[in-house]
Amino acid sequence: MNAQSDGRPEREGVTPDRLLHTAGDEVTAEDLTLASGRDLTPENIEWARRRLAEKGRAAIEEELP
């Protein structure tokens, strides 16, 4: 087992929170489009822009497991 930065060991086969969440990165319309399983078309990117404007980064967190 590897140690996490907070001292807790990582369990085998479990993705650590630091890799699951987007807290430190800027979320783009393209990121949200791909996270939602949509193709990168102008219409889908515009949908993602509107959603990000409405919900902020919570929009992508809703798409991620």
Side-chain angles (χ1 to χ4, degrees):
M1 287 190 190
N2 299 331
Q4 292 182 3
S5 61
D6 65 2
R8 292 181 296 155
E10 291 181 8
R11 294 181 293 171
E12 290 280 332
V14 176
T15 304
D17 282 348
R18 65 183 162 71
L19 297 177
L20 291 175
H21 301 285
T22 60
D25 302 324
E26 181 181 337
V27 178
T28 67
E30 289 81 2
D31 294 334
L32 179 56
T33 301
L34 293 173
S36 70
R38 300 171 190 230
D39 292 328
L40 289 174
T41 65
E43 294 82 11
N44 289 340
I45 293 171
E46 185 55 36
W47 164 83
R49 284 188 183 121
R50 288 190 310 269
R51 190 139 162 105
L52 284 169
E54 176 187 330
K55 296 189 172 228
R57 71 187 306 84
I60 198 164
E61 294 294 338
E62 291 174 356
E63 298 294 334
L64 300 175

